[in-house]
Amino acid sequence: MSMLRKAFLLLVILFCGCCYATAPVLKDYDEYQIPAGYFIPIMSLQEFSTAYTEECEELKFITTNDIYLFDKNVIPQGTKLKGFIEKKNEPIRGTNASMKVFINKMYLSDGFEVPIKAYISTSNDNKIGGELTPPETYNKIPHYQRWSMFRAMGVVQYVPGDKRRMGEHVTVSSGANMVMVLVAPINMTHTVIN
């Protein structure tokens, strides 16, 4: 190698070393992943019901707690969420109305939008409502407990009849505390710096 090439190579190496040493240190730009199945407490900002809220009508929620991942606050308290009623069932005889609420957008306090996939969590397959209605009639039926001296000793009990009452609409009031469950992980590439 010629002496000129060696000098040029040495200058390039020194220049790269100086640039690397003086480069600004980037902090808090790591990607955080909030796993699927994570439960986040939320609060409804508006009243919605199976009686008057249409499917795909926008619903608004906020988070009620700070969500930490390791030592970083990835979802601050008061983060806004938007969703809609994904599926709605009208009330029928024997069953109350039900609805499934899907949450698809999260807005951090600085206005940054993060797409999410989550449902309002309930023990009934994430359906709000859908309970069995009370019986419409009760029948009297004797229940014999024992036989004594050739006569039956028993009581008359009321048992539910074969018909149930008409179902009712389900309403979630404004300010209701609920829990949101993630069905897909959230990749947080942006966090709010306080």
Side-chain angles (χ1 to χ4, degrees), residues 4-48:
L4 189 59
R5 274 191 182 168
K6 288 182 182 179
F8 179 71
L9 186 61
L10 181 64
L11 283 174
V12 169
I13 291 173
L14 287 174
F15 179 72
C16 290
C18 289
C19 289
Y20 180 75
T22 60
V25 178
L26 300 176
K27 293 184 179 179
D28 291 333
Y29 287 98
D30 294 334
E31 181 176 321
Y32 297 97
Q33 185 179 48
I34 302 171
Y38 201 86
F39 291 95
I40 299 172
I42 63 172
M43 182 175 68
S44 173
L45 293 180
Q46 69 192 66
E47 182 177 276
F48 56 96

Side-chain angles (χ1 to χ4, degrees), residues 20-94:
Y20 180 75
T22 60
V25 178
L26 300 176
K27 293 184 179 179
D28 291 333
Y29 287 98
D30 294 334
E31 181 176 321
Y32 297 97
Q33 185 179 48
I34 302 171
Y38 201 86
F39 291 95
I40 299 172
I42 63 172
M43 182 175 68
S44 173
L45 293 180
Q46 69 192 66
E47 182 177 276
F48 56 96
S49 172
T50 55
Y52 51 82
T53 307
E54 297 298 323
E55 290 181 1
C56 300
E57 188 176 322
E58 188 175 86
L59 304 175
K60 296 177 184 177
F61 306 92
I62 60 168
T63 58
T64 57
N65 292 354
D66 290 328
I67 305 300
Y68 284 89
L69 213 55
F70 306 109
D71 62 343
K72 187 68 180 169
N73 184 3
V74 290
I75 302 177
Q77 180 180 0
T79 299
K80 295 178 182 171
L81 303 161
K82 288 190 180 176
F84 56 90
I85 296 176
E86 183 181 69
K87 182 168 175 47
K88 180 169 76 168
N89 297 322
E90 294 295 324
I92 58 172
R93 182 170 289 282

Side-chain angles (χ1 to χ4, degrees), residues 47-52 99 128 169-173:
E47 182 177 276
F48 56 96
S49 172
T50 55
Y52 51 82
M99 59 183 155
I128 300 170
H169 285 284
V170 176
T171 302
V172 176
S173 63

